[in-house]
Amino acid sequence: MDELTPDKAPPRPRGPLFYAGAAGLATATVVETIAVSGRWLSLPLHGALEIIQAAILVTACVSMLSATLAGTHASVQLLLNRLTPRRKRLLTRSGSLISAVFFAALTVASIWLTIGHWDGYEETELLHISLRPLRILCSISMLAIVVVFAYRTIKPRASER
Amino acid sequence: MSGVTGVIALLLLLTLGIPIGVALGTVGLVGLVFLLGAEPALIKAGGVLFETASRYELGLLPLFLLMAHLCFAAGASRDFFDAAARLIGHRRGGLALASILGCAGFGSISGSSLATAATVGLVGLPEMRRRGYSDALATGAIAAGGTLGSIIPPSGALIVFGILAEQSIGKLFTAAIVPAITQTLFYLVTIVLVCRWRPSLGPALPRVGWRKRRAALLRVGDLVALVVLVLAGIGLGWFTPTEAAAIGVVGALALCARRRRLSRTVLLDALSDTLRTTGMLYVVIIGALIFAVFMSLTGLSDQIAAIMDTQSGNPTIAVVTMAVILLLLGSVLDGLALMLLTTPILLPIIHSLGLSPIWFGIFLVRTMEIGFIHPPIGINLYVIQEIAKDVPLSRIFKGVLPFLAADFLHLALLIAVPAVALALPAWLAT
């Protein structure tokens, strides 16, 4: 996408977070490829869609946190680029604060729904994959994003100071 | 009233540089709290979050991104440009024509305007300047050619639109093929006309022998085969877009291995880049979907549709009005923000006018593309200036003017003849 305004050459994460996201992507690729090949060979892979959904959710949660850590969220720079460094710093910190509040609301919403569905024992139809751990992962990733944005509000990235 | 307030608040937050996804989500969530109350608003937002993160169709986004990063590592941008340069470099303006074709080729992999302009620019700009091409023509051709990355499938913008508008991404990709080809042709004709008017702008190079041409063509053969497999597979219904994306990743891995470019570092870098872009896009999509729920509750679209209906009653006039609004907004908003802000408002109007949402997706991406090269935002112009730092922005803008004229003509064609976008999907469906 064209409107990205990432920091130049952000550090490339290679920790557990990266490997979890990469594993999600690899799983989705492999399962989908086996499913397509199986369909063409009349050997359908039942439940492939459910595995891919779970893998994609892991990738999505981890990648949102990765993007936050790397500071690569897309933003409109029209005004920011024309401000004095001091005002730009102020706006960037305000942006981090608003982001923290927004993700805090999403965290509350996610935890609320997780608790609401807890006794329902939600699971997928074919493979009976429990949705509980996925909902928990979603809530944890949102909470982690809140922490990152809250920290950035207090201590902005070096490139934003 | 709440709808207008929401749009104004969103524009304000976007202008202040708040992350696009956060701005959309915040306005949407606050709006829902006012309209429905805190509890239903939070439940709705939580639902959107989990459903979006676990949505099967969205799986194609990271997979296509991974395919693009792997193809980039395999040297796709240089190969596309080299092949086109050897084929037509001996004609007047040949390298500029090659840049457009290189952008079209690389755009079919990258799905991004910015990435296309930046990567083809790195290869094509120094070559054109070394060969005595006018700075204005060289920079203008690549800035404009880069926009092809947004429309040539698999396009990131079309995927986001498809998710937001709940439209078939396969149909959107198929619908984009003819507009992408005609846009490329419009750019090529523009260069031919400019160089016929002033031949010194793009001098012809010595003709390259057929052996070298064939070698360059063979070099891009595997890339072209991969792109054709993915697109034909979607268009002909062999696989769903998500399946095609997975096949694309496997194909790109094989391609890297065949070219001896596959290493642990290449793979990890591609995954790392994919994850960061994916995360940014997920936040944007989640925010946009929350904003769309809010917009649908405000009834703003119905009010605008009613005004348009009483003012003109003519769908073409309504669409031209929309194009003008989008182009004006494109002067102050980035393409992605423009699409996310306007889709929830304009799409119901398109439905009420009896127009195709698939056509609207192509139209919206097309107007968004124009915003990439017209000031004051014109992000592609700034990308090109980063590559050619000694060329003033005013000169790049002068170079892009003929392409802007071609863009307006092409947009007019798309409005006057919707079949440009709709004929191919309809034909393939029969």
Side-chain angles (χ1 to χ4, degrees):
Chain A
M1 305 299 295
D2 306 86
E3 303 67 25
L4 314 189
T5 49
D7 291 345
K8 281 179 186 164
R12 300 189 163 197
R14 288 278 192 274
L17 205 60
F18 164 75
Y19 286 104
L25 266 178
T27 307
T29 306
V30 171
V31 172
E32 195 70 286
T33 308
I34 293 172
V36 175
S37 314
R39 199 175 64 231
W40 285 88
L41 298 169
S42 302
L43 292 166
L45 179 66
H46 294 292
L49 199 142
E50 294 175 1
I51 300 172
I52 294 164
Q53 276 183 308
I56 289 299
L57 184 131
V58 172
T59 301
C61 292
V62 165
S63 65
M64 282 190 275
L65 183 52
S66 272
T68 308
L69 284 167
T72 53
H73 287 296
S75 59
V76 177
Q77 299 282 304
L78 183 68
L79 181 66
L80 283 181
N81 288 342
R82 287 162 175 76
L83 290 177
T84 59
R86 191 164 163 267
R87 287 191 175 155
K88 186 177 178 180
R89 201 163 47 239
L90 186 71
L91 270 189
T92 309
R93 290 175 93 161
S94 310
S96 293
L97 180 64
I98 292 174
S99 302
V101 172
F102 170 65
F103 280 102
L106 283 186
T107 308
V108 170
S110 182
I111 293 172
W112 193 334
L113 287 182
T114 305
I115 293 168
H117 286 100
W118 194 261
D119 294 329
Y121 297 102
E122 282 181 296
E123 55 183 27
T124 60
E125 277 177 32
L126 287 174
L127 302 179
H128 304 290
I129 300 170
S130 172
L131 297 192
R132 267 186 192 173
L134 300 178
R135 285 194 180 276
I136 292 170
L137 174 69
C138 197
S139 304
I140 291 173
S141 65
M142 289 299 111
L143 186 61
I145 293 173
V146 175
V147 172
V148 175
F149 273 122
Y151 180 75
R152 291 273 155 74
T153 308
I154 301 159
K155 196 174 179 190
R157 299 167 64 84
S159 56
E160 293 165 351
R161 270 176 229 151
Chain B
M1 187 60 196
S2 53
V4 177
T5 313
V7 171
I8 292 169
L10 178 60
L11 284 172
L12 186 70
L13 288 181
L14 288 174
T15 312
L16 291 175
I18 309 297
I20 295 172
V22 172
L24 285 156
T26 304
V27 172
L29 194 56
V30 171
L32 286 175
V33 168
F34 273 107
L35 292 178
L36 303 173
E39 189 177 329
L42 278 178
I43 289 172
K44 192 75 206 165
V48 167
L49 169 68
F50 189 75
E51 281 162 22
T52 309
S54 60
R55 197 165 166 170
Y56 168 76
E57 294 84 0
L58 259 178
L60 86 169
L61 201 57
L63 293 179
F64 271 132
L65 285 168
L66 183 56
M67 172 186 149
H69 286 301
L70 288 170
C71 286
F72 178 61
S77 56
R78 173 165 286 282
D79 289 348
F80 275 122
F81 177 77
D82 281 351
R86 287 186 184 186
L87 272 182
I88 50 175
H90 60 282
R91 300 190 179 279
R92 257 188 233 149
L95 286 183
L97 296 171
S99 300
I100 298 293
L101 293 176
C103 285
F106 189 70
S108 66
I109 290 165
S110 82
S112 152
S113 166
L114 192 63
T116 305
T119 47
V120 179
L122 280 172
V123 181
L125 262 183
E127 188 67 16
M128 279 193 273
R129 300 185 75 191
R130 197 161 60 84
R131 302 286 189 161
Y133 271 58
S134 136
D135 287 340
L137 177 65
T139 51
I142 290 182
T147 65
L148 288 166
S150 283
I151 191 134
I152 296 183
S155 143
L158 286 176
I159 295 173
V160 173
F161 174 81
I163 298 292
L164 203 59
E166 295 183 335
Q167 295 299 315
S168 155
I169 291 166
K171 269 190 187 171
L172 280 165
F173 281 179
T174 316
I177 291 174
V178 176
I181 292 171
T182 48
Q183 186 186 343
T184 307
L185 288 174
F186 271 51
Y187 286 165
L188 296 178
V189 170
T190 304
I191 294 170
V192 170
L193 291 177
V194 166
C195 289
R196 183 168 290 183
W197 171 57
R198 288 182 70 179
S200 62
L201 295 179
L205 306 183
R207 186 186 286 267
V208 176
W210 269 107
R211 183 182 282 183
K212 284 186 176 173
R213 289 191 199 184
R214 200 166 43 240
L217 277 177
L218 283 175
R219 185 136 181 83
V220 290
D222 50 2
L223 285 164
V224 172
L226 179 63
V227 171
V228 169
L229 173 72
V230 166
L231 293 185
I234 296 171
L236 297 172
W238 296 341
F239 4 87
T240 65
T242 314
E243 289 170 348
I247 298 286
V249 171
V250 174
L253 280 169
L255 201 140
C256 279
R258 198 178 88 82
R259 293 174 166 223
R260 300 182 191 283
R261 299 275 183 96
L262 191 58
S263 66
R264 191 172 181 272
T265 313
V266 162
L267 190 59
L268 292 184
D269 282 353
L271 283 165
S272 176
D273 291 339
T274 301
L275 282 179
R276 272 204 307 270
T277 315
T278 301
M280 181 280 291
L281 287 172
Y282 264 96
V283 170
V284 161
I285 291 170
I286 289 166
L289 288 173
I290 295 172
F291 180 72
V293 174
F294 164 59
M295 272 295 129
S296 67
L297 287 175
T298 61
L300 180 64
S301 299
D302 298 336
Q303 291 159 17
I304 297 175
I307 293 169
M308 281 188 168
D309 201 37
T310 51
Q311 290 297 314
S312 70
N314 182 338
T316 309
I317 294 176
V319 168
V320 172
T321 311
M322 279 184 205
V324 172
I325 293 169
L326 287 169
L327 289 171
L328 286 174
L329 277 175
S331 303
V332 287
L333 279 182
D334 287 337
L336 185 61
L338 176 71
M339 172 190 273
L340 299 171
L341 166 68
T342 55
T343 300
I345 301 168
L346 296 183
L347 190 64
I349 300 173
I350 288 294
H351 280 297
S352 71
L353 290 170
L355 298 171
S356 158
I358 296 288
W359 171 85
F360 176 67
I362 306 298
F363 163 79
L364 185 57
V365 171
R366 207 53 205 84
T367 44
M368 193 178 114
E369 279 181 334
I370 295 175
F372 293 149
I373 52 170
H374 81 72
I377 298 267
I379 191 154
N380 279 14
L381 307 182
Y382 292 96
V383 168
I384 298 300
Q385 205 201 14
E386 275 293 305
I387 301 169
K389 289 191 185 345
D390 56 324
V391 182
L393 206 57
S394 57
R395 189 130 180 87
I396 301 176
F397 180 60
K398 188 183 167 195
V400 95
L401 275 178
F403 298 98
L404 258 180
D407 273 338
F408 285 123
L409 278 178
H410 189 249
L411 189 64
L413 174 74
L414 194 60
I415 294 171
V417 190
V420 170
L422 298 176
L424 189 60
W427 181 64
L428 285 174
T430 53

